[in-house]
Amino acid sequence: MSSRQLIFASFAHEEDLLEGIRALRRADVKIVDAFTPYAVHGLDRAMGLRPSPLTWVCFVCAMTGVLFALWFEHWSLAVSWPINVGGKPWNSLPSDVPIGFEMAVLLGGFGSVFALLGLCRLFPGKRARLATPRVTNDRFVVVIEETDAVTTPDFVHALLEPHGVVEFEERLAEEKVPW
Amino acid sequence: MSHVDQELRPPLVLGDKSLGDITDDIAAPMAATPSTLWWVGFGIAFSALVLGVVAVSYQIAVGIGTWGLNRTVGWAFDITNFVFWVGIGHAGTLISAVLFLFRQKWRTAVNRSAEAMTIFAVMCAGIFPLIHMGRPWLFFWTLPYPNYRGPLWVNFKSPLLWDVFAISTYLLISAVFWYVGLIPDLATMRDRTQPGLKRSIFSFLSLGWNGSARTWHHYETVYMLLAGLATPLVFSVHTIVSMDFATAVIPGWHTTIFPPYFVAGAIFSGLAMVLTLMLIARKTMRLEDYITVSHVDRMCKLMLAMGCIVGLAYCTEFFIAAYSGNAYEQFLFRNRALGPFSWAFLTMFSCNVIIPQVLWFRAVRRNLFAVFAVAIVVNIGMWFERFVIIVTSLHRDFLPSSWSYYIPTSIEVATLIGSFGLFFTCFLLFCRVAPAIAMAEVKGVAQVKKPESLRIPQPEEAVA
Amino acid sequence: MNGLGFLSGSQARLFTLAAVVGAVLVALTVPLSSTHAWGNLLIASVYLTTLGLGGAMFVAFGYVTGAGWNVAFRRVPEAMAVTLVVCGVISVGVLALGMHNYAWHAHGEAGTLWFKQMWLSPQFWLVRAVGYLALWSVLSLLIVSVSRRQDRVGGTRLTIANGKLSALFLAVSAVTFSLACFDWLMALTPMWYSTVFAAYQFAGMMQATLATMILIGLALRAPGRPLHGVFTTEHLHDLAKLLLGFSCFWMYLWFSQFMLIWYTDIPEEVAFFVPRESGAWGAVTGMNIFLNWLLPFFVLLPRPSKRSGKIAARVAGAVLLGRWLDLYWIVIPALHQAHPESGSPLVGVAEAGSILLVLGLFTLLVSRTFGKANPVPRQDPLLEESLHYHL
């Protein structure tokens, strides 16, 4: 099994991480991922991540919810077993709306959360692979892959040094580890 | 940051904390053994819960006849409690979702506990329709499942069924929202706990979270989506609760302002409950640097705004009753204010509209004892609001020979006390097992400054 | 900047022409049906007044919530707020001119109850209208003048002072706006009542206000225009998001009102919806919902369309038309019900006149008032925050 040479550079402050990442991207160094203790504002832009597709998952689920609920309410009370309630017409769209809305929210919410867990491969009992034990507390880490002869540790270190890197190490990772 | 900004933008976290300090401060109360105060609180809450369990058991064994309902007042204490508790939950969603959409960063100090409060309050609320069924073990009859009675479907045209859907959706989405918010913090707890059972539990629940930027990116999107869904959801839930009443042709119940008015009232009462709990929590859990006086000040302003909206709705109802020329509406509102239940009406009006006006003064908003007192008053007032709406609209109906009065029985009072017991028991346990403040979110807004000494890169100081 | 504000001479002439043509078209239909013509004037004056009030409320909400994001383009809603003075006078004129068109005035149809008779007596009704408009004008002028004074003085003191003034303004206008909606619009159908009516009108007002701000902001952000580099895509995004939110809020209140009345089916309440349900009016009802909710909701939902000037401008235009239609849907059927003798009007002429009048007059006024102050509140302590924020 082939392996990858990865560089882990840690920072103590979010500005340092952002500046470091910008410096790396300017130098065309391939960034595997970054790890932060909280959602750093602007990190997605700095890393050039594309907008998340989860909004569409949510929209499709919510539309499914509302359409299914409206159809089911109509079918059950007007077709399957018609019941006259307070003289309301068979086709009582206004009174079908509240449950239609609730089902849209329910499916939209659960759909997007499950899509998140699937997309990011999060599941109960998964062993966390931490870039450094302090990454969930107060460390910011960027992981770089040594793809070619230019991206040597020295080169990367020189790039990051002005940005307050506090920890710098090389590690060998298995090919399939999706860092 | 300049002097000018300090005045308009007070820091959200006091005491010049580093990121590590924030983790330590918030996680500290969970590791320490509970204080005497906690045990006293837990003892009282748990006793109340036991009392409630006894009362409900008796009621289920004997029947709804143990309540003070009569032929005229067919809905009273039970539904009052239901609406009250659903309302309490709404502030949690407001703080976690609506304020998130409006980028009100101060919400991070209180959103975690407010969301927990939402879940517990909705649980308390859910009990009441369930026990009012008389045969609560048949609750599944409210679900539209294929059955051998026809299949006879549930009545989708009934607002009570809308309630079933609304409350269960609300409970589920609130729980998911809360849990999604907790994942990064659970990971933090996992990584600072010694190996053992506790760590295994945190590890299991944190789903292998490692703080990857790609994960954060999708996570932020989902958080925003959930906020976007929860905002209309919170409107819909109390709208549907209000429709339990407003779709009836009963004067005092049927009025078109009910949906937004109930939503505002719900948020009002919920904010009062959030303030009550926060003021206690910041003191007992030493979170004064996170839940600051300026946080309390902002919540007071929000509560005042909601109180004014509720007051405007009360006045609108009276005005339209006078304007409409409808004799039944006019009788109802005269009876509500001056009839046998005027004591309840006066309690409601003074607690919800008159007393909260003191919050216009900055000195009051920044006096924590005064704020606590006002919050308690609003809690009481909002309970009475539901009581007034429900009971005064029913007790003198169209047929004067059936006019009556309503007095709750000891079983009903004990059930209410029991619901408070359940709420506080859950809340006190929550403070012990999960971070009461969203660490990852507070860190994002704390504006932790880079110490001057670290401005020059010092790689040799790196922690090897 | 010239006395015309942000409009060039030829643009100003064009909008003047629109206003004049609009007025002439409405006037032309007077011989056919003065009631119908006046109804269109009422729509125009309520439309103009609520745009001004909406602008003032937007400014006030910003101060009260301590918002920073809206500071950079705050002069736009401030300019809208100042138009309230002129539009208020126009409204009083229109209301006084056509008071006899209200059924309670024409047929004494205010019921036999003393309160209703007192409340809907012509003199008291008109005095109240003057009172509301005077209160709104004075308080919004005060807020705007404090904001403009800050351009010279700077500091945070005036921001805090305006926060207090704004809270007062919002409290006062919440009550008076409710009553104004009941007086001017709900009383067109004097035996009908709905407690949520004012809240529903509030949602419509804010929707139109946001749409107007989007259009003005976009027009002024082109190179060489006053808000170039000031009104950013982030501002557009936030305004579009709010527009989406208020569209949903409007739909929520419209639906709540409709559903509760439909569900209980009480004769005096459904009397409002029955004439608006069938035939051509049914189509207007559908169009109203389409323009005010369905279109803005589905178009503005994806993030890119909220950030696209082209799409946001089109949606804003549709919403502004929707707001006009919403008022039309309230006013005209009520007037026709009250005055069945008023004859069949030439549908379209007075309507086109009313729309042109609003468009021309409002643009001229808002441009003039915008030109009276610095285009950017340059000494506002939160200006920096507003210029450099990212969503």
Side-chain angles (χ1 to χ4, degrees):
Chain A
M1 191 178 286
S2 65
S3 61
R4 308 197 286 177
Q5 280 284 37
L6 299 177
I7 297 170
F8 287 68
S10 305
F11 302 86
H13 299 281
E14 65 165 78
E15 311 86 303
D16 294 341
L17 174 81
L18 288 171
E19 286 306 319
I21 285 178
R22 286 189 194 116
L24 291 170
R25 277 173 53 92
R26 271 195 302 273
D28 274 337
V29 175
K30 191 191 167 201
I31 296 170
V32 180
D33 205 345
F35 298 88
T36 59
Y38 57 87
V40 173
H41 194 71
L43 181 60
D44 43 357
R45 258 195 307 277
M47 285 182 61
L49 297 179
R50 275 200 312 259
S52 170
L54 290 173
T55 45
W56 288 105
V57 175
C58 181
F59 181 76
V60 170
C61 290
M63 289 307 289
T64 312
V66 66
L67 293 176
F68 173 76
L70 290 180
W71 166 79
F72 186 78
E73 288 178 84
H74 181 80
W75 173 80
S76 57
L77 256 57
V79 179
S80 167
W81 187 292
I83 291 182
N84 184 336
V85 182
K88 302 258 176 307
W90 299 126
N91 175 22
S92 289
L93 185 63
S95 64
D96 289 345
V97 166
I99 289 179
F101 174 80
E102 298 304 327
M103 292 307 284
V105 171
L106 191 65
L107 262 69
F110 273 82
S112 37
V113 168
F114 281 117
L116 167 77
L117 300 185
L119 199 62
C120 301
R121 299 201 170 60
L122 299 170
F123 51 88
K126 182 186 177 187
R127 228 185 100 251
R129 293 179 159 276
L130 296 179
T132 157
R134 284 173 71 177
V135 77
T136 55
N137 182 10
D138 59 354
R139 278 290 178 269
F140 303 80
V141 183
V142 60
V143 181
I144 300 131
E145 185 168 4
E146 294 177 29
T147 42
D148 48 38
V150 186
T151 31
T152 60
D154 288 340
F155 175 73
V156 173
H157 193 261
L159 272 177
L160 294 180
E161 198 172 7
H163 303 297
V165 58
V166 290
E167 200 178 334
F168 193 86
E169 66 172 309
E170 267 185 279
R171 282 188 221 164
L172 217 57
E174 284 167 22
E175 184 67 68
K176 56 175 191 182
V177 174
W179 273 104
Chain B
M1 200 182 266
S2 70
H3 166 72
V4 167
D5 287 339
Q6 285 281 339
E7 202 174 337
L8 294 176
R9 294 275 181 269
L12 294 168
V13 176
L14 301 178
D16 226 1
K17 309 277 185 199
S18 73
L19 294 175
D21 292 341
I22 293 176
T23 315
D24 294 341
D25 285 353
I26 295 173
M30 292 165 59
T33 46
S35 63
T36 328
L37 200 62
W38 188 90
W39 279 112
V40 170
F42 188 78
I44 296 173
F46 195 72
S47 316
L49 174 59
V50 170
L51 178 72
V53 170
V54 171
V56 170
S57 310
Y58 177 74
Q59 176 244 305
I60 290 172
V62 177
I64 299 295
T66 54
W67 291 354
L69 302 176
N70 51 52
R71 266 184 308 173
T72 315
V73 184
W75 264 11
F77 222 72
D78 175 81
I79 303 299
T80 302
N81 296 336
F82 165 69
V83 182
F84 173 76
W85 280 118
V86 179
I88 293 294
H90 278 32
T93 319
L94 173 93
I95 289 169
S96 54
V98 183
L99 297 185
F100 175 80
L101 295 182
F102 280 100
R103 290 197 302 271
Q104 297 284 321
K105 290 180 178 170
W106 59 271
R107 67 182 260 291
T108 53
V110 289
N111 71 332
R112 171 67 45 74
S113 32
E115 285 163 28
M117 207 187 78
T118 296
I119 296 169
F120 306 144
V122 176
M123 277 162 49
C124 290
I127 292 171
F128 290 96
L130 217 58
I131 59 175
H132 203 163
M133 286 175 183
R135 293 181 291 170
W137 52 92
L138 294 179
F139 76 95
F140 60 90
W141 282 10
T142 60
L143 303 175
Y145 63 97
N147 55 61
Y148 290 108
R149 299 183 294 275
L152 187 60
W153 301 107
V154 289
N155 178 11
F156 285 113
K157 292 180 186 121
S158 161
L160 299 183
L161 189 79
W162 306 345
D163 251 350
V164 173
F165 278 80
I167 302 289
S168 13
T169 303
Y170 189 43
L171 183 64
L172 289 169
I173 291 287
S174 300
V176 166
F177 199 13
W178 187 59
Y179 178 62
V180 167
L182 260 171
I183 295 172
D185 282 4
L186 289 171
T188 306
M189 294 310 296
R190 171 196 69 202
D191 297 336
R192 56 179 282 128
T193 312
Q194 296 304 317
L197 178 66
K198 244 181 163 178
R199 188 185 166 120
S200 308
I201 294 170
F202 281 131
S203 181
F204 182 79
L205 292 175
S206 58
L207 312 179
W209 180 271
N210 62 2
S212 149
R214 290 172 204 283
T215 308
W216 271 120
H217 179 55
H218 295 303
Y219 175 89
E220 287 269 273
T221 306
V222 167
Y223 202 84
M224 191 266 296
L225 286 172
L226 284 176
L229 288 170
T231 302
L233 176 65
V234 73
F235 272 79
S236 80
V237 171
H238 233 63
T239 294
I240 288 173
V241 169
S242 83
M243 285 174 179
D244 292 346
F245 307 101
T247 51
V249 285
I250 294 173
W253 281 10
H254 174 68
T255 177
T256 50
I257 206 173
F258 257 32
Y261 153 46
F262 264 52
V263 174
I267 291 170
F268 183 48
S269 68
L271 283 170
M273 187 61 96
V274 173
L275 269 172
T276 314
L277 293 180
M278 284 309 98
L279 288 173
I280 298 173
R282 79 190 282 274
K283 204 81 207 152
T284 53
M285 294 166 76
R286 303 213 169 74
L287 296 172
E288 283 98 336
D289 287 340
Y290 299 92
I291 304 169
T292 66
V293 175
S294 88
H295 284 102
V296 174
D297 182 280
R298 282 160 188 269
M299 284 206 278
C300 285
K301 283 183 184 168
L302 206 53
M303 193 163 83
L304 174 63
M306 287 300 154
C308 289
I309 294 176
V310 168
L312 180 63
Y314 294 163
C315 297
T316 306
E317 279 196 305
F318 274 89
F319 173 79
I320 293 291
Y323 172 90
S324 69
N326 181 325
Y328 303 104
E329 287 279 327
Q330 288 171 347
F331 169 78
L332 182 275
F333 280 96
R334 238 192 342 266
N335 184 52
R336 186 174 276 181
L338 306 170
F341 281 103
S342 63
W343 59 273
F345 175 81
L346 285 176
T347 310
M348 162 193 111
F349 201 82
S350 39
C351 288
N352 291 344
V353 184
I354 298 170
I355 295 173
Q357 300 304 319
V358 299
L359 296 175
W360 282 96
F361 301 100
R362 184 183 153 94
V364 177
R365 292 197 303 265
R366 290 179 168 253
N367 179 330
L368 300 183
F369 288 102
V371 171
F372 190 74
V374 172
I376 296 286
V377 161
V378 172
N379 279 321
I380 296 169
M382 283 308 295
W383 189 87
F384 270 98
E385 180 194 293
R386 281 60 176 257
F387 182 79
V388 165
I389 291 173
I390 294 165
V391 177
T392 64
S393 307
L394 290 178
H395 84 118
R396 287 186 162 175
D397 61 6
F398 293 102
L399 198 63
S401 62
S402 65
W403 285 7
S404 70
Y405 197 72
Y406 165 78
I407 300 164
T409 62
S410 56
I411 296 296
E412 288 177 285
V413 177
T415 309
L416 172 63
I417 295 171
S419 68
F420 274 95
L422 175 64
F423 181 75
F424 283 104
T425 304
C426 290
F427 193 80
L428 287 165
L429 286 176
F430 152 77
C431 293
R432 299 287 316 150
V433 300
I437 290 182
M439 292 188 267
E441 292 198 53
V442 167
K443 286 175 188 170
V445 301
Q447 293 180 316
V448 175
K449 269 172 254 129
K450 212 164 138 181
E452 278 307 317
S453 58
L454 278 177
R455 294 278 147 139
I456 310 137
Q458 290 164 310
E460 66 274 14
E461 273 184 19
V463 193
Chain C
M1 213 176 272
N2 57 21
L4 297 169
F6 57 71
L7 294 178
S8 70
S10 57
Q11 283 169 333
R13 275 192 293 281
L14 197 67
F15 282 105
T16 315
L17 185 71
V20 172
V21 169
V24 169
L25 285 180
V26 176
L28 278 178
T29 62
V30 170
L32 284 169
S33 163
S34 65
T35 306
H36 189 84
W38 178 80
N40 277 293
L41 280 184
L42 177 72
I43 296 167
S45 61
V46 171
Y47 197 107
L48 288 169
T49 311
T50 50
L51 273 188
L53 184 65
M57 282 196 176
F58 183 83
V59 174
F61 281 128
Y63 275 116
V64 167
T65 55
W69 68 277
N70 62 340
V71 168
F73 64 92
R74 199 179 61 218
R75 285 290 136 87
V76 174
E78 280 180 15
M80 290 167 68
V82 178
T83 64
L84 201 47
V85 182
V86 180
C87 296
V89 174
I90 294 176
S91 288
V92 172
V94 169
L95 291 173
L97 191 74
M99 217 188 327
H100 58 274
N101 287 308
Y102 283 88
W104 42 267
H105 190 275
H107 314 308
E109 211 188 278
T112 48
L113 185 83
W114 68 269
F115 182 83
K116 197 157 194 159
Q117 283 193 332
M118 181 274 292
W119 190 258
L120 294 180
S121 67
Q123 296 82 5
F124 185 34
W125 183 82
L126 198 61
V127 167
R128 279 202 308 277
V130 173
Y132 308 144
L133 290 161
L135 268 175
W136 300 343
S137 305
V138 168
L139 285 171
S140 24
L141 278 185
L142 265 175
I143 294 173
V144 172
S145 73
V146 170
S147 161
R148 288 181 182 175
R149 191 158 77 230
Q150 197 174 39
D151 283 5
R152 298 192 300 275
V153 185
T156 54
R157 197 178 55 83
L158 290 179
T159 302
I160 292 167
N162 242 357
K164 290 177 183 161
L165 204 55
S166 297
L168 176 74
F169 167 70
L170 287 175
V172 168
S173 53
V175 176
T176 45
F177 178 75
S178 296
L179 293 176
C181 290
F182 297 152
D183 279 3
W184 301 342
L185 297 173
M186 201 170 86
L188 285 164
T189 324
M191 298 316 281
W192 182 74
Y193 50 88
S194 166
T195 37
V196 83
F197 192 80
Y200 146 63
Q201 280 303 304
F202 168 76
M205 168 174 85
M206 291 318 288
Q207 227 184 327
T209 304
L210 291 163
T212 309
M213 288 182 336
I214 288 175
L215 285 179
I216 298 179
L218 286 173
L220 298 189
R221 78 166 180 180
R225 310 304 313 266
L227 295 182
H228 180 59
V230 173
F231 186 81
T232 64
T233 306
E234 310 297 327
H235 294 134
L236 176 66
H237 188 163
D238 265 348
L239 284 175
K241 220 184 323 184
L242 280 174
L243 179 60
L244 175 68
F246 269 96
S247 285
C248 294
F249 189 53
W250 177 89
M251 190 68 245
Y252 160 65
L253 292 174
W254 192 98
F255 179 74
S256 299
Q257 176 174 275
F258 169 75
M259 216 264 276
L260 290 176
I261 290 173
W262 171 85
Y263 199 101
T264 47
D265 213 10
I266 297 172
E268 64 255 45
E269 287 190 339
V270 291
F272 179 82
F273 283 102
V274 167
R276 289 167 176 81
E277 206 174 54
S278 53
W281 283 108
V284 173
T285 308
M287 196 63 190
N288 191 8
I289 291 170
F290 175 77
L291 287 175
N292 279 309
W293 177 67
L294 210 61
L295 179 87
F297 179 74
F298 282 101
V299 174
L300 290 182
L301 211 47
R303 179 185 155 101
S305 56
K306 286 193 280 268
R307 298 176 75 86
S308 145
K310 218 179 235 172
I311 296 175
R314 284 178 191 168
V315 173
V319 165
L320 285 176
L321 198 63
R323 166 75 177 149
W324 187 88
L325 202 68
D326 193 29
L327 290 171
Y328 187 74
W329 177 84
I330 292 167
V331 171
I332 299 297
L335 285 176
H336 282 277
Q337 223 175 3
H339 304 274
E341 78 288 352
S342 70
S344 63
L346 202 58
V347 174
V349 177
E351 283 76 4
S354 166
I355 293 173
L356 282 176
L357 190 61
V358 169
L359 179 72
L361 202 57
F362 184 78
T363 314
L364 285 173
L365 281 172
V366 85
S367 164
R368 269 181 73 86
T369 51
F370 186 82
K372 290 265 159 57
N374 291 317
V376 176
R378 56 186 179 193
Q379 293 277 355
D380 193 298
L382 296 173
L383 180 62
E384 272 306 298
E385 183 183 319
S386 178
L387 287 173
H388 304 288
Y389 80 101
H390 288 281
L391 287 178

PDB file of all heavy atoms in Angstrom, chain C residues 58-69:
ATOM      1  N   PHE C  58     -37.553  51.118   9.277  1.00  0.00           N
ATOM      2  CA  PHE C  58     -36.320  50.368   9.015  1.00  0.00           C
ATOM      3  C   PHE C  58     -35.140  51.039   9.712  1.00  0.00           C
ATOM      4  O   PHE C  58     -34.319  50.375  10.348  1.00  0.00           O
ATOM      5  CB  PHE C  58     -36.077  50.280   7.507  1.00  0.00           C
ATOM      6  CG  PHE C  58     -34.863  49.471   7.146  1.00  0.00           C
ATOM      7  CD1 PHE C  58     -34.943  48.095   7.081  1.00  0.00           C
ATOM      8  CD2 PHE C  58     -33.651  50.081   6.905  1.00  0.00           C
ATOM      9  CE1 PHE C  58     -33.828  47.342   6.777  1.00  0.00           C
ATOM     10  CE2 PHE C  58     -32.526  49.338   6.604  1.00  0.00           C
ATOM     11  CZ  PHE C  58     -32.619  47.961   6.538  1.00  0.00           C
ATOM     12  N   VAL C  59     -35.075  52.368   9.612  1.00  0.00           N
ATOM     13  CA  VAL C  59     -34.003  53.109  10.292  1.00  0.00           C
ATOM     14  C   VAL C  59     -34.099  52.872  11.799  1.00  0.00           C
ATOM     15  O   VAL C  59     -33.107  52.580  12.472  1.00  0.00           O
ATOM     16  CB  VAL C  59     -34.102  54.613   9.964  1.00  0.00           C
ATOM     17  CG1 VAL C  59     -33.095  55.401  10.776  1.00  0.00           C
ATOM     18  CG2 VAL C  59     -33.878  54.849   8.485  1.00  0.00           C
ATOM     19  N   ALA C  60     -35.325  52.967  12.315  1.00  0.00           N
ATOM     20  CA  ALA C  60     -35.516  52.834  13.760  1.00  0.00           C
ATOM     21  C   ALA C  60     -35.158  51.426  14.238  1.00  0.00           C
ATOM     22  O   ALA C  60     -34.500  51.265  15.271  1.00  0.00           O
ATOM     23  CB  ALA C  60     -36.964  53.162  14.119  1.00  0.00           C
ATOM     24  N   PHE C  61     -35.554  50.410  13.481  1.00  0.00           N
ATOM     25  CA  PHE C  61     -35.200  49.029  13.868  1.00  0.00           C
ATOM     26  C   PHE C  61     -33.684  48.885  13.926  1.00  0.00           C
ATOM     27  O   PHE C  61     -33.142  48.237  14.814  1.00  0.00           O
ATOM     28  CB  PHE C  61     -35.776  48.011  12.878  1.00  0.00           C
ATOM     29  CG  PHE C  61     -37.237  47.721  13.078  1.00  0.00           C
ATOM     30  CD1 PHE C  61     -38.130  47.801  12.026  1.00  0.00           C
ATOM     31  CD2 PHE C  61     -37.713  47.341  14.327  1.00  0.00           C
ATOM     32  CE1 PHE C  61     -39.482  47.535  12.217  1.00  0.00           C
ATOM     33  CE2 PHE C  61     -39.049  47.080  14.518  1.00  0.00           C
ATOM     34  CZ  PHE C  61     -39.941  47.181  13.465  1.00  0.00           C
ATOM     35  N   GLY C  62     -32.987  49.511  12.968  1.00  0.00           N
ATOM     36  CA  GLY C  62     -31.532  49.450  12.948  1.00  0.00           C
ATOM     37  C   GLY C  62     -30.937  50.026  14.224  1.00  0.00           C
ATOM     38  O   GLY C  62     -30.083  49.417  14.851  1.00  0.00           O
ATOM     39  N   TYR C  63     -31.416  51.183  14.623  1.00  0.00           N
ATOM     40  CA  TYR C  63     -30.873  51.816  15.833  1.00  0.00           C
ATOM     41  C   TYR C  63     -31.210  50.997  17.074  1.00  0.00           C
ATOM     42  O   TYR C  63     -30.374  50.803  17.956  1.00  0.00           O
ATOM     43  CB  TYR C  63     -31.456  53.218  15.985  1.00  0.00           C
ATOM     44  CG  TYR C  63     -30.709  54.271  15.209  1.00  0.00           C
ATOM     45  CD1 TYR C  63     -31.307  54.956  14.169  1.00  0.00           C
ATOM     46  CD2 TYR C  63     -29.395  54.577  15.535  1.00  0.00           C
ATOM     47  CE1 TYR C  63     -30.621  55.922  13.456  1.00  0.00           C
ATOM     48  CE2 TYR C  63     -28.698  55.546  14.833  1.00  0.00           C
ATOM     49  CZ  TYR C  63     -29.314  56.216  13.797  1.00  0.00           C
ATOM     50  OH  TYR C  63     -28.623  57.168  13.099  1.00  0.00           O
ATOM     51  N   VAL C  64     -32.464  50.531  17.150  1.00  0.00           N
ATOM     52  CA  VAL C  64     -32.897  49.837  18.364  1.00  0.00           C
ATOM     53  C   VAL C  64     -32.136  48.534  18.561  1.00  0.00           C
ATOM     54  O   VAL C  64     -31.753  48.172  19.674  1.00  0.00           O
ATOM     55  CB  VAL C  64     -34.420  49.578  18.298  1.00  0.00           C
ATOM     56  CG1 VAL C  64     -34.850  48.597  19.351  1.00  0.00           C
ATOM     57  CG2 VAL C  64     -35.171  50.873  18.486  1.00  0.00           C
ATOM     58  N   THR C  65     -31.876  47.826  17.458  1.00  0.00           N
ATOM     59  CA  THR C  65     -31.188  46.543  17.602  1.00  0.00           C
ATOM     60  C   THR C  65     -29.675  46.716  17.603  1.00  0.00           C
ATOM     61  O   THR C  65     -28.952  45.726  17.685  1.00  0.00           O
ATOM     62  CB  THR C  65     -31.567  45.585  16.454  1.00  0.00           C
ATOM     63  OG1 THR C  65     -31.294  46.246  15.216  1.00  0.00           O
ATOM     64  CG2 THR C  65     -33.019  45.207  16.500  1.00  0.00           C
ATOM     65  N   GLY C  66     -29.192  47.952  17.505  1.00  0.00           N
ATOM     66  CA  GLY C  66     -27.752  48.170  17.490  1.00  0.00           C
ATOM     67  C   GLY C  66     -27.096  47.569  16.260  1.00  0.00           C
ATOM     68  O   GLY C  66     -25.948  47.165  16.297  1.00  0.00           O
ATOM     69  N   ALA C  67     -27.850  47.524  15.158  1.00  0.00           N
ATOM     70  CA  ALA C  67     -27.318  46.891  13.949  1.00  0.00           C
ATOM     71  C   ALA C  67     -26.236  47.763  13.327  1.00  0.00           C
ATOM     72  O   ALA C  67     -26.306  48.988  13.402  1.00  0.00           O
ATOM     73  CB  ALA C  67     -28.442  46.668  12.943  1.00  0.00           C
ATOM     74  N   GLY C  68     -25.240  47.141  12.738  1.00  0.00           N
ATOM     75  CA  GLY C  68     -24.183  47.890  12.073  1.00  0.00           C
ATOM     76  C   GLY C  68     -24.245  47.732  10.565  1.00  0.00           C
ATOM     77  O   GLY C  68     -23.829  48.623   9.825  1.00  0.00           O
ATOM     78  N   TRP C  69     -24.776  46.601  10.110  1.00  0.00           N
ATOM     79  CA  TRP C  69     -24.681  46.270   8.681  1.00  0.00           C
ATOM     80  C   TRP C  69     -25.383  47.275   7.782  1.00  0.00           C
ATOM     81  O   TRP C  69     -24.970  47.501   6.659  1.00  0.00           O
ATOM     82  CB  TRP C  69     -25.244  44.868   8.434  1.00  0.00           C
ATOM     83  CG  TRP C  69     -26.718  44.769   8.641  1.00  0.00           C
ATOM     84  CD1 TRP C  69     -27.366  44.597   9.816  1.00  0.00           C
ATOM     85  CD2 TRP C  69     -27.748  44.864   7.638  1.00  0.00           C
ATOM     86  NE1 TRP C  69     -28.720  44.583   9.625  1.00  0.00           N
ATOM     87  CE2 TRP C  69     -28.981  44.735   8.300  1.00  0.00           C
ATOM     88  CE3 TRP C  69     -27.736  45.036   6.248  1.00  0.00           C
ATOM     89  CZ2 TRP C  69     -30.193  44.779   7.625  1.00  0.00           C
ATOM     90  CZ3 TRP C  69     -28.949  45.077   5.579  1.00  0.00           C
ATOM     91  CH2 TRP C  69     -30.153  44.954   6.258  1.00  0.00           C
TER      92      TRP C  69
END
